[in-house]
Amino acid sequence: MDGIDAALVRIRDSGEDTEVQVEDFICREYSDDARNLLLSPSALNTASLSDLNFLLGQEFSAAVFDLLRKAALKTTDIDLVGTHGQTVFHNPPSLGQEVSSTLQLGEADVICEATGITTVGDFRTRDMAAGGEGAPLIPYVDYLLFSGTGKNVIAHNIGGISNCTLVTKKLGELLAFDTGPGNSLVDSVVRLASGGERSFDEDGTIAGEGSVNKDIFRRLMKNPYLDIEPPKSTGRELFGERMAGRLFSLAQKKGVSLPDLLRTLVEFTACSIVSAYERFIYPRADVEEVVLSGGGARNPVMVSRLREKLAPTRLCLSDEYGIPADAKEAVGFAVLANETVCGNRTNVPAVTGARDATFLGKISIGKNTL
C-alpha cells in the first residue's frame, strides 16, 4: 500500500527460454480517496467495494500512462499489461476455514478500456479454485530468473508480506511460502503514530534510533503462523492494521517509545525470516546466496540485521541481476502475464498446494488484440 508499482519490461520468448529486460519503473502514490478506503476494506459495504474495484482500475491505468510518459512511449508501443491488483482479502486453505477465497481489486477491464492494451489480471483465484493457497505466485518467475546461476538461491521479497523461494536447478524442487510480515506492521504503526501523515519509516530512520523491547519481541515470535509448515500464505488479515493497532496500544500502555516499537518490529521480521530458513529451507538444500527485493530491501536496518543473522551466506539485492529491488514484483506479474497469453501453466502445485498445474489470470482483450 505504499503505492502502485509499474514496470516497463521487454520480454522475449516464454517458459524456460524467457529473457527479461527491465527498461523503466515508477511508483505512483494512491489518491487519498483510494488509500483511505483501502485502510479498512472489511468495513466497506458492497457498493463501496464495487466502486473501489473500478476506482483502482482507473488509478492503475493512470500509472500505465505515467510510465509511458516517462519512457516517451505510446500505448500502441505496448503489447500487454499484467496487473496483480490490490489484495483486500485473503483466506487461504491453510487457515482451515470452511470456505477459502481471495479478492484483489483493480478491474482489468477498466485498465483495458482506458489504455486499449490487452490486460491480464486476477492471477490468484485459479490456483485457489484448484485447492491451492493462491500464493506465492512469483516462484515460477524466480525460477526463470535465477535457476541459471548454477547456485542454490533464496529469492526473498519483503513487501507488505514477506515471501521466499528456494531456487535450485529443477522446477520441481521449488519451495516457496510467506514467512510472515514484511513491511506491513511497521508501515501501519507509522501511519497510526503520525495520524496518517507518514506511511512508512523512510530509510529505517526511526527504527534505527530504537532498541528491541524483549517482552514485545517474545510475544511476536510466539505467533502460531510461524510454526505452520509450507505450503502456507498469509496477509494483512493477520499481519496488518488490527495487529498493528494492538501493538501500538500495548506500547503506549507500557511506555515503549515509537523508535523502540519499530526497531522491535524490524527485529521480528528479520528473525521470522531467518527462523523460516532454518526450519523449512536449510534441511532441504545448502543455500549459497539470498537475493533480496521489495521495499524492505531499501530499509538499511532490516538489511543489516538480515546480513548479520545470515552470515556467512551472501546477501545481495536483485539489482545485481538487473532487476531493481523495488520493481521485482511488478516485473514478476509482467512475466506471468506473458506466460498466460503464451498458454503456459504458471502455478507450482508443490508450492501452493494446488491439485494441478493450471493457467493463471483472466484476459481482457484490448484494441491491439494480440
Side-chain angles (χ1 to χ4, degrees):
M1 285 188 43
D2 52 345
I4 303 165
D5 293 337
L8 179 65
V9 187
R10 185 180 298 276
I11 301 175
R12 292 184 181 276
D13 294 320
S14 65
E16 298 202 21
D17 295 324
T18 301
E19 297 177 14
V20 178
Q21 180 179 337
V22 182
E23 307 235 328
D24 216 329
F25 172 76
I26 64 165
C27 182
R28 187 181 196 273
E29 287 194 7
Y30 276 122
S31 67
D32 289 341
D33 287 345
R35 187 184 296 279
N36 290 336
L37 290 170
L38 286 168
L39 285 173
S40 301
S42 60
L44 300 180
N45 59 27
T46 306
S48 297
L49 269 178
S50 180
D51 289 347
L52 181 58
N53 185 35
F54 274 59
L55 173 61
L56 293 182
Q58 294 167 7
E59 300 223 352
F60 294 164
S61 301
V64 171
F65 286 117
D66 285 353
L67 180 57
L68 291 177
R69 276 192 292 272
K70 183 170 184 276
L73 294 174
K74 304 184 294 294
T75 55
T76 51
D77 296 319
I78 306 300
D79 298 300
L80 191 64
V81 171
T83 173
H84 171 274
Q86 176 67 58
T87 301
V88 294
F89 186 71
H90 187 62
N91 176 27
S94 59
L95 293 184
Q97 302 297 313
E98 185 176 351
V99 176
S100 298
S101 67
T102 191
L103 182 62
Q104 284 73 44
L105 300 185
E107 180 55 54
D109 278 343
V110 171
I111 302 170
C112 179
E113 188 62 29
T115 64
I117 305 168
T118 294
T119 300
V120 184
D122 203 14
F123 290 91
R124 299 194 183 275
T125 52
R126 184 68 179 272
D127 183 77
M128 290 193 70
E133 291 282 300
L137 298 184
I138 293 297
Y140 179 90
V141 179
D142 288 333
Y143 175 77
L144 297 182
L145 294 177
F146 302 116
S147 61
T149 63
K151 298 181 284 189
N152 292 337
V153 171
I154 295 176
H156 201 116
N157 183 75
I158 305 180
I161 297 298
S162 165
N163 57 78
C164 64
T165 305
L166 170 64
V167 180
T168 64
K169 296 178 182 179
K170 298 180 180 179
L171 180 61
E173 293 178 352
L174 276 184
L175 173 66
F177 55 94
D178 292 344
T179 60
N183 307 312
S184 57
L185 292 177
V186 172
D187 292 351
S188 295
V189 167
V190 169
R191 277 193 293 270
L192 285 169
S194 67
E197 292 185 8
R198 301 179 66 176
S199 58
F200 65 102
D201 181 15
E202 188 170 1
D203 295 327
T205 303
I206 303 174
E209 298 174 351
S211 300
V212 175
N213 181 280
K214 294 181 180 179
D215 179 51
I216 294 178
F217 175 74
R218 281 193 293 266
R219 292 187 187 205
L220 290 167
M221 288 301 295
K222 291 179 181 177
N223 190 287
Y225 179 80
L226 305 185
D227 297 326
I228 299 174
E229 293 194 11
K232 62 177 181 176
S233 61
T234 189
R236 303 179 76 92
E237 294 76 27
L238 180 57
F239 298 109
E241 284 73 23
R242 279 181 293 182
M243 180 181 284
R246 292 195 297 269
L247 290 169
F248 187 59
S249 297
L250 177 64
Q252 289 182 313
K253 190 179 299 182
K254 288 180 168 289
V256 177
S257 68
L258 178 62
D260 286 357
L261 177 58
L262 294 183
R263 178 66 181 81
T264 302
L265 293 176
V266 169
E267 188 72 8
F268 170 49
T269 299
C271 287
S272 64
I273 289 170
V274 175
S275 174
Y277 291 179
E278 292 172 345
R279 298 173 66 177
F280 305 125
I281 293 183
Y282 291 163
R284 293 197 181 201
D286 294 324
V287 175
E288 299 166 70
E289 186 173 71
V290 175
V291 182
L292 201 61
S293 62
R298 304 302 188 195
N299 184 326
V301 183
M302 181 85 73
V303 175
S304 174
R305 288 300 292 140
L306 283 172
R307 186 165 276 124
E308 290 172 15
K309 297 179 79 62
L310 292 173
T313 302
R314 182 173 185 267
L315 176 70
C316 70
L317 301 190
S318 61
D319 300 60
E320 292 191 19
Y321 288 91
I323 310 291
D326 296 327
K328 167 79 181 317
E329 290 281 287
V331 171
F333 283 95
V335 173
L336 289 180
N338 181 65
E339 293 295 291
T340 298
V341 298
C342 290
N344 296 328
R345 293 172 169 85
T346 51
N347 70 327
V348 182
V351 167
T352 67
R355 291 183 294 273
D356 301 294
T358 189
F359 306 98
L360 302 180
K362 298 165 185 170
I363 304 173
S364 298
I365 299 175
K367 294 176 183 177
N368 60 339
T369 68
L370 280 181

